[in-house]
């Protein structure tokens, strides 16, 4: 795979954006997906950098979640903002990562991402349910680096 653009088809990207929309219907949490080819930094450090670049740390309840993918490195990170980390157990994202990894092992990347997003939405709903005045604070579009 030579380019980030080759990782997912346009149709698969639309399905992922739709999964974000569906997941965010039940939670005030904000979910983003960022895909890039590779990074020279530690993956978690780069994910945090992207988290800030996308202004995910500016949500009202500090409940943004980033699914970061370094395609060529075959690595991904799920990172949540302070509001989430303050109230959840340390292994909070473990089941989401496991669901995604199982799909990735069989080369089914789009389905892994979609199910990871939907699972993240379900997890977030427990701590950050949707409210009447909830607004979509961040874009649902996939960002690329």
């Amino acid at each position: 795979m030579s380019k980030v653009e080759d990782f997912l088809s346009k149709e698969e990207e639309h399905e992922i954006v739709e999964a974000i929309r569906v997941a965010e219907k039940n939670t005030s949490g904000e979910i983003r997906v960022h895909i890039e080819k590779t990074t020279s930094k530690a993956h978690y450090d780069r994910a945090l950098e992207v988290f800030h670049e996308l202004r995910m740390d500016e949500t009202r309840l500090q409940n943004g979640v980033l699914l970061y993918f370094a395609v060529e490195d075959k690595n991904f990170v799920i990172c949540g903002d302070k509001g989430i980390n303050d109230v959840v157990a340390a292994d909070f994202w473990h089941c989401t990562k496991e669901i995604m990894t199982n799909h990735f092992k069989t080369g089914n990347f789009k389905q892994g991402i979609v199910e990871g997003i939907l699972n993240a939405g379900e997890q977030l709903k427990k701590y950050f349910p949707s409210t009447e005045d909830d607004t979509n604070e961040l874009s649902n579009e996939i960002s690329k680096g």
Side-chain angles (χ1 to χ4, degrees):
M1 183 176 327
S2 56
K3 297 190 310 231
V4 172
E5 287 74 29
D6 298 334
F7 182 56
L8 298 165
S9 70
K10 283 283 174 228
E11 191 175 292
E12 289 174 324
E13 286 188 14
H14 289 302
E15 289 181 55
I16 289 168
V17 171
E18 178 61 13
I20 292 171
R21 194 188 65 72
V22 168
E24 288 182 353
K25 273 205 306 204
N26 299 314
T27 178
S28 60
E30 293 288 329
I31 301 169
R32 296 282 321 255
V33 172
H34 180 82
I35 301 170
E36 57 189 21
K37 187 173 179 180
T38 185
T39 180
S40 57
K41 300 179 176 166
H43 291 99
Y44 185 76
D45 293 345
R46 177 61 184 144
L48 286 180
E49 191 174 87
V50 170
F51 193 91
H52 294 291
E53 285 172 9
L54 295 175
R55 302 170 73 131
M56 294 189 68
D57 52 347
E58 296 178 18
T59 61
R60 193 168 47 97
L61 297 174
Q62 295 181 305
N63 59 355
V65 176
L66 176 66
L67 305 180
Y68 166 85
F69 298 89
V71 177
E72 208 171 75
D73 304 343
K74 293 181 169 55
N75 206 310
F76 76 101
V77 174
I78 301 173
C79 59
D81 205 353
K82 182 182 185 324
I84 296 170
N85 295 336
D86 284 351
V87 296
V88 302
D91 65 349
F92 182 69
W93 295 116
H94 185 72
C95 67
T96 303
K97 270 191 112 152
E98 208 168 89
I99 288 167
M100 294 172 72
T101 301
N102 288 336
H103 283 288
F104 295 165
K105 284 178 184 170
T106 61
N108 200 344
F109 298 107
K110 185 271 302 180
Q111 195 58 37
I113 296 169
V114 165
E115 291 198 21
I117 289 165
L118 295 175
N119 186 272
E122 282 299 308
Q123 298 296 321
L124 286 171
K125 182 169 73 171
K126 297 171 191 163
Y127 297 94
F128 300 96
S130 185
T131 57
E132 275 186 34
D133 64 342
D134 187 38
T135 58
N136 191 10
E137 295 179 76
L138 300 171
S139 169
N140 294 344
E141 295 302 311
I142 297 170
S143 61
K144 296 177 181 170

